[in-house]
Amino acid sequence: FPVTIVWDSTESDPCELQQDLPVEQSWIYVGRGSDRVKAVQRIIRWMVTFPGHDLLAIPGEGFPHLPCIHLTGRLGATGIHEALDRGKGLILSSKYEGLSLVVLEGLSRGVPVVATQVGGLSYLPAGLQGTYWIQPKDGDDPNAWQRATQEAEQNDSIHLRKVRAQQNQSVLS
């Protein structure tokens, strides 16, 4: 089932995705970098340990200014969907999490999801395609992030995303 992220019930689409951002070569992160529970330092540590990765941070507040991190500003549903569809996949490094709507949205679109398997994410139904879970005990290990992102990249294509989207929508409905 399609899930729509709404940032503010009074705003339908704050802005569109800038066309000059390197979306296709980036992992997509949706959330505030300043939220300690989201533990973005885990992703940054992985990117520093294993150079050559880019991160598209939506909206990007609270992230350090590094050449490999691209900040979008606030995006509405259309911009987020475009980023998810064009990016390498969704990455989420939370120490604690409820049931992340952006993960559900990514899965329903067939987007590879690399995330710590915490909170509500650990209760998602079996049979979801394109999930690359980092166990909570490995969340601070850059090697675990490298293995998961490499596997996700190796197992991705436009065709597979379409197939996964159909399978995942069936599992999630």
mmCIF file of all heavy atoms in Angstrom, residues 10-40:
data_model
loop_
_atom_site.group_PDB
_atom_site.id
_atom_site.type_symbol
_atom_site.label_atom_id
_atom_site.label_comp_id
_atom_site.label_asym_id
_atom_site.label_seq_id
_atom_site.Cartn_x
_atom_site.Cartn_y
_atom_site.Cartn_z
ATOM 1 N N THR A 10 -0.411 21.664 6.790
ATOM 2 C CA THR A 10 -0.795 22.883 6.087
ATOM 3 C C THR A 10 -0.004 23.078 4.804
ATOM 4 O O THR A 10 -0.299 23.961 4.021
ATOM 5 C CB THR A 10 -0.582 24.126 6.985
ATOM 6 O OG1 THR A 10 0.802 24.217 7.322
ATOM 7 C CG2 THR A 10 -1.418 24.020 8.244
ATOM 8 N N GLU A 11 1.032 22.268 4.584
ATOM 9 C CA GLU A 11 1.851 22.381 3.381
ATOM 10 C C GLU A 11 1.757 21.084 2.599
ATOM 11 O O GLU A 11 2.045 20.022 3.120
ATOM 12 C CB GLU A 11 3.317 22.593 3.743
ATOM 13 C CG GLU A 11 3.646 23.947 4.305
ATOM 14 C CD GLU A 11 5.138 24.069 4.490
ATOM 15 O OE1 GLU A 11 5.810 24.511 3.555
ATOM 16 O OE2 GLU A 11 5.604 23.698 5.572
ATOM 17 N N SER A 12 1.380 21.157 1.329
ATOM 18 C CA SER A 12 1.284 19.937 0.543
ATOM 19 C C SER A 12 2.620 19.559 -0.080
ATOM 20 O O SER A 12 2.975 18.407 -0.152
ATOM 21 C CB SER A 12 0.221 20.083 -0.539
ATOM 22 O OG SER A 12 0.552 21.158 -1.386
ATOM 23 N N ASP A 13 3.372 20.500 -0.577
ATOM 24 C CA ASP A 13 4.644 20.226 -1.217
ATOM 25 C C ASP A 13 5.578 21.423 -1.031
ATOM 26 O O ASP A 13 5.585 22.338 -1.842
ATOM 27 C CB ASP A 13 4.415 19.975 -2.715
ATOM 28 C CG ASP A 13 5.062 18.687 -3.177
ATOM 29 O OD1 ASP A 13 5.680 18.007 -2.351
ATOM 30 O OD2 ASP A 13 4.936 18.379 -4.366
ATOM 31 N N PRO A 14 6.375 21.460 0.049
ATOM 32 C CA PRO A 14 7.213 22.621 0.309
ATOM 33 C C PRO A 14 8.130 23.001 -0.854
ATOM 34 O O PRO A 14 8.250 24.156 -1.188
ATOM 35 C CB PRO A 14 8.015 22.229 1.533
ATOM 36 C CG PRO A 14 7.246 21.150 2.181
ATOM 37 C CD PRO A 14 6.515 20.449 1.068
ATOM 38 N N CYS A 15 8.810 22.052 -1.470
ATOM 39 C CA CYS A 15 9.642 22.362 -2.630
ATOM 40 C C CYS A 15 9.960 21.075 -3.377
ATOM 41 O O CYS A 15 9.756 19.980 -2.872
ATOM 42 C CB CYS A 15 10.909 23.114 -2.249
ATOM 43 S SG CYS A 15 12.065 22.187 -1.245
ATOM 44 N N GLU A 16 10.480 21.226 -4.580
ATOM 45 C CA GLU A 16 10.837 20.087 -5.407
ATOM 46 C C GLU A 16 12.313 19.754 -5.221
ATOM 47 O O GLU A 16 13.091 20.573 -4.754
ATOM 48 C CB GLU A 16 10.557 20.408 -6.871
ATOM 49 C CG GLU A 16 9.089 20.601 -7.172
ATOM 50 C CD GLU A 16 8.844 20.935 -8.625
ATOM 51 O OE1 GLU A 16 9.778 20.827 -9.451
ATOM 52 O OE2 GLU A 16 7.709 21.311 -8.926
ATOM 53 N N LEU A 17 12.685 18.567 -5.644
ATOM 54 C CA LEU A 17 14.061 18.121 -5.581
ATOM 55 C C LEU A 17 14.892 18.894 -6.600
ATOM 56 O O LEU A 17 14.525 18.981 -7.770
ATOM 57 C CB LEU A 17 14.123 16.622 -5.884
ATOM 58 C CG LEU A 17 15.452 15.919 -5.736
ATOM 59 C CD1 LEU A 17 15.943 15.993 -4.292
ATOM 60 C CD2 LEU A 17 15.324 14.477 -6.168
ATOM 61 N N GLN A 18 15.998 19.470 -6.142
ATOM 62 C CA GLN A 18 16.878 20.215 -7.041
ATOM 63 C C GLN A 18 17.498 19.250 -8.049
ATOM 64 O O GLN A 18 17.972 18.175 -7.683
ATOM 65 C CB GLN A 18 17.997 20.900 -6.265
ATOM 66 C CG GLN A 18 17.521 21.950 -5.308
ATOM 67 C CD GLN A 18 18.673 22.418 -4.423
ATOM 68 O OE1 GLN A 18 19.499 21.630 -3.994
ATOM 69 N NE2 GLN A 18 18.721 23.710 -4.180
ATOM 70 N N GLN A 19 17.509 19.653 -9.301
ATOM 71 C CA GLN A 19 17.994 18.773 -10.359
ATOM 72 C C GLN A 19 19.515 18.645 -10.390
ATOM 73 O O GLN A 19 20.037 17.721 -10.997
ATOM 74 C CB GLN A 19 17.463 19.247 -11.715
ATOM 75 C CG GLN A 19 15.955 19.118 -11.821
ATOM 76 C CD GLN A 19 15.440 17.716 -11.521
ATOM 77 O OE1 GLN A 19 15.918 16.742 -12.073
ATOM 78 N NE2 GLN A 19 14.479 17.614 -10.606
ATOM 79 N N ASP A 20 20.238 19.542 -9.729
ATOM 80 C CA ASP A 20 21.702 19.479 -9.777
ATOM 81 C C ASP A 20 22.303 18.599 -8.674
ATOM 82 O O ASP A 20 23.521 18.470 -8.583
ATOM 83 C CB ASP A 20 22.304 20.882 -9.717
ATOM 84 C CG ASP A 20 21.976 21.618 -8.418
ATOM 85 O OD1 ASP A 20 21.007 21.232 -7.727
ATOM 86 O OD2 ASP A 20 22.684 22.583 -8.102
ATOM 87 N N LEU A 21 21.481 17.970 -7.863
ATOM 88 C CA LEU A 21 21.993 17.097 -6.809
ATOM 89 C C LEU A 21 22.347 15.728 -7.386
ATOM 90 O O LEU A 21 21.658 15.227 -8.269
ATOM 91 C CB LEU A 21 20.943 16.938 -5.707
ATOM 92 C CG LEU A 21 20.658 18.185 -4.878
ATOM 93 C CD1 LEU A 21 19.451 17.967 -3.975
ATOM 94 C CD2 LEU A 21 21.871 18.566 -4.050
ATOM 95 N N PRO A 22 23.401 15.083 -6.873
ATOM 96 C CA PRO A 22 23.829 13.779 -7.401
ATOM 97 C C PRO A 22 22.986 12.633 -6.833
ATOM 98 O O PRO A 22 23.485 11.746 -6.147
ATOM 99 C CB PRO A 22 25.284 13.696 -6.946
ATOM 100 C CG PRO A 22 25.293 14.456 -5.661
ATOM 101 C CD PRO A 22 24.309 15.581 -5.851
ATOM 102 N N VAL A 23 21.715 12.634 -7.153
ATOM 103 C CA VAL A 23 20.778 11.684 -6.546
ATOM 104 C C VAL A 23 21.137 10.239 -6.891
ATOM 105 O O VAL A 23 21.172 9.372 -6.013
ATOM 106 C CB VAL A 23 19.324 11.994 -6.975
ATOM 107 C CG1 VAL A 23 18.345 11.011 -6.362
ATOM 108 C CG2 VAL A 23 18.960 13.422 -6.590
ATOM 109 N N GLU A 24 21.406 9.949 -8.162
ATOM 110 C CA GLU A 24 21.640 8.564 -8.598
ATOM 111 C C GLU A 24 22.827 7.908 -7.915
ATOM 112 O O GLU A 24 22.861 6.689 -7.797
ATOM 113 C CB GLU A 24 21.818 8.503 -10.122
ATOM 114 C CG GLU A 24 20.545 8.698 -10.898
ATOM 115 C CD GLU A 24 20.075 10.152 -10.997
ATOM 116 O OE1 GLU A 24 20.831 11.075 -10.616
ATOM 117 O OE2 GLU A 24 18.948 10.370 -11.449
ATOM 118 N N GLN A 25 23.794 8.668 -7.461
ATOM 119 C CA GLN A 25 24.958 8.079 -6.804
ATOM 120 C C GLN A 25 24.870 8.181 -5.280
ATOM 121 O O GLN A 25 25.835 7.893 -4.587
ATOM 122 C CB GLN A 25 26.238 8.735 -7.304
ATOM 123 C CG GLN A 25 26.358 10.205 -6.940
ATOM 124 C CD GLN A 25 27.362 10.927 -7.808
ATOM 125 O OE1 GLN A 25 27.417 10.700 -9.007
ATOM 126 N NE2 GLN A 25 28.157 11.780 -7.199
ATOM 127 N N SER A 26 23.706 8.539 -4.769
ATOM 128 C CA SER A 26 23.569 8.783 -3.333
ATOM 129 C C SER A 26 22.627 7.807 -2.649
ATOM 130 O O SER A 26 21.631 7.380 -3.217
ATOM 131 C CB SER A 26 23.023 10.199 -3.095
ATOM 132 O OG SER A 26 23.898 11.171 -3.588
ATOM 133 N N TRP A 27 22.957 7.511 -1.403
ATOM 134 C CA TRP A 27 22.015 6.859 -0.507
ATOM 135 C C TRP A 27 21.112 7.955 0.039
ATOM 136 O O TRP A 27 21.565 9.077 0.250
ATOM 137 C CB TRP A 27 22.759 6.145 0.627
ATOM 138 C CG TRP A 27 23.327 4.853 0.130
ATOM 139 C CD1 TRP A 27 24.564 4.653 -0.395
ATOM 140 C CD2 TRP A 27 22.634 3.622 0.055
ATOM 141 N NE1 TRP A 27 24.686 3.356 -0.792
ATOM 142 C CE2 TRP A 27 23.525 2.696 -0.525
ATOM 143 C CE3 TRP A 27 21.369 3.196 0.423
ATOM 144 C CZ2 TRP A 27 23.167 1.364 -0.741
ATOM 145 C CZ3 TRP A 27 21.014 1.883 0.209
ATOM 146 C CH2 TRP A 27 21.906 0.978 -0.368
ATOM 147 N N ILE A 28 19.859 7.637 0.290
ATOM 148 C CA ILE A 28 18.881 8.628 0.715
ATOM 149 C C ILE A 28 18.614 8.464 2.210
ATOM 150 O O ILE A 28 18.330 7.354 2.676
ATOM 151 C CB ILE A 28 17.547 8.473 -0.063
ATOM 152 C CG1 ILE A 28 17.800 8.409 -1.583
ATOM 153 C CG2 ILE A 28 16.578 9.579 0.317
ATOM 154 C CD1 ILE A 28 18.507 9.590 -2.176
ATOM 155 N N TYR A 29 18.697 9.562 2.931
ATOM 156 C CA TYR A 29 18.377 9.590 4.359
ATOM 157 C C TYR A 29 17.270 10.622 4.547
ATOM 158 O O TYR A 29 17.401 11.759 4.093
ATOM 159 C CB TYR A 29 19.607 9.987 5.193
ATOM 160 C CG TYR A 29 19.288 10.087 6.659
ATOM 161 C CD1 TYR A 29 19.413 8.981 7.478
ATOM 162 C CD2 TYR A 29 18.828 11.275 7.201
ATOM 163 C CE1 TYR A 29 19.102 9.060 8.823
ATOM 164 C CE2 TYR A 29 18.511 11.361 8.539
ATOM 165 C CZ TYR A 29 18.637 10.249 9.347
ATOM 166 O OH TYR A 29 18.305 10.341 10.668
ATOM 167 N N VAL A 30 16.194 10.223 5.213
ATOM 168 C CA VAL A 30 15.089 11.147 5.479
ATOM 169 C C VAL A 30 14.975 11.322 6.986
ATOM 170 O O VAL A 30 14.705 10.362 7.713
ATOM 171 C CB VAL A 30 13.754 10.618 4.896
ATOM 172 C CG1 VAL A 30 12.629 11.592 5.182
ATOM 173 C CG2 VAL A 30 13.886 10.372 3.398
ATOM 174 N N GLY A 31 15.201 12.539 7.449
ATOM 175 C CA GLY A 31 15.108 12.825 8.876
ATOM 176 C C GLY A 31 16.103 13.899 9.281
ATOM 177 O O GLY A 31 16.913 14.356 8.484
ATOM 178 N N ARG A 32 16.021 14.273 10.533
ATOM 179 C CA ARG A 32 16.909 15.310 11.056
ATOM 180 C C ARG A 32 18.215 14.691 11.547
ATOM 181 O O ARG A 32 18.203 13.750 12.337
ATOM 182 C CB ARG A 32 16.225 16.052 12.207
ATOM 183 C CG ARG A 32 15.042 16.883 11.791
ATOM 184 C CD ARG A 32 14.449 17.681 12.941
ATOM 185 N NE ARG A 32 14.484 17.024 14.231
ATOM 186 C CZ ARG A 32 13.558 16.163 14.671
ATOM 187 N NH1 ARG A 32 12.537 15.866 13.928
ATOM 188 N NH2 ARG A 32 13.663 15.634 15.866
ATOM 189 N N GLY A 33 19.310 15.249 11.111
ATOM 190 C CA GLY A 33 20.608 14.773 11.565
ATOM 191 C C GLY A 33 20.891 15.129 13.006
ATOM 192 O O GLY A 33 21.743 14.534 13.652
ATOM 193 N N SER A 34 20.156 16.099 13.534
ATOM 194 C CA SER A 34 20.368 16.545 14.912
ATOM 195 C C SER A 34 19.665 15.648 15.937
ATOM 196 O O SER A 34 19.892 15.791 17.128
ATOM 197 C CB SER A 34 19.872 17.979 15.064
ATOM 198 O OG SER A 34 18.509 18.070 14.679
ATOM 199 N N ASP A 35 18.848 14.714 15.486
ATOM 200 C CA ASP A 35 18.115 13.814 16.384
ATOM 201 C C ASP A 35 19.048 12.675 16.802
ATOM 202 O O ASP A 35 19.389 11.815 15.999
ATOM 203 C CB ASP A 35 16.876 13.276 15.668
ATOM 204 C CG ASP A 35 15.993 12.424 16.554
ATOM 205 O OD1 ASP A 35 16.448 11.989 17.635
ATOM 206 O OD2 ASP A 35 14.837 12.203 16.158
ATOM 207 N N ARG A 36 19.471 12.665 18.057
ATOM 208 C CA ARG A 36 20.432 11.669 18.540
ATOM 209 C C ARG A 36 19.932 10.241 18.385
ATOM 210 O O ARG A 36 20.709 9.317 18.184
ATOM 211 C CB ARG A 36 20.762 11.913 20.011
ATOM 212 C CG ARG A 36 21.649 13.075 20.236
ATOM 213 C CD ARG A 36 22.084 13.074 21.663
ATOM 214 N NE ARG A 36 22.740 14.312 21.999
ATOM 215 C CZ ARG A 36 23.183 14.576 23.191
ATOM 216 N NH1 ARG A 36 23.029 13.710 24.158
ATOM 217 N NH2 ARG A 36 23.778 15.717 23.434
ATOM 218 N N VAL A 37 18.638 10.049 18.502
ATOM 219 C CA VAL A 37 18.067 8.711 18.370
ATOM 220 C C VAL A 37 18.275 8.168 16.954
ATOM 221 O O VAL A 37 18.423 6.972 16.757
ATOM 222 C CB VAL A 37 16.561 8.731 18.745
ATOM 223 C CG1 VAL A 37 15.886 7.416 18.434
ATOM 224 C CG2 VAL A 37 16.404 9.075 20.215
ATOM 225 N N LYS A 38 18.319 9.061 15.968
ATOM 226 C CA LYS A 38 18.520 8.633 14.575
ATOM 227 C C LYS A 38 19.965 8.213 14.305
ATOM 228 O O LYS A 38 20.248 7.571 13.311
ATOM 229 C CB LYS A 38 18.108 9.732 13.597
ATOM 230 C CG LYS A 38 16.657 10.130 13.707
ATOM 231 C CD LYS A 38 15.730 8.980 13.417
ATOM 232 C CE LYS A 38 14.283 9.425 13.481
ATOM 233 N NZ LYS A 38 13.348 8.330 13.410
ATOM 234 N N ALA A 39 20.880 8.599 15.172
ATOM 235 C CA ALA A 39 22.275 8.126 15.163
ATOM 236 C C ALA A 39 22.959 8.254 13.803
ATOM 237 O O ALA A 39 23.620 7.330 13.336
ATOM 238 C CB ALA A 39 22.334 6.676 15.663
ATOM 239 N N VAL A 40 22.825 9.412 13.166
ATOM 240 C CA VAL A 40 23.439 9.596 11.849
ATOM 241 C C VAL A 40 24.961 9.525 11.894
ATOM 242 O O VAL A 40 25.588 9.300 10.854
ATOM 243 C CB VAL A 40 22.980 10.907 11.162
ATOM 244 C CG1 VAL A 40 21.504 10.876 10.884
ATOM 245 C CG2 VAL A 40 23.380 12.110 11.957
#
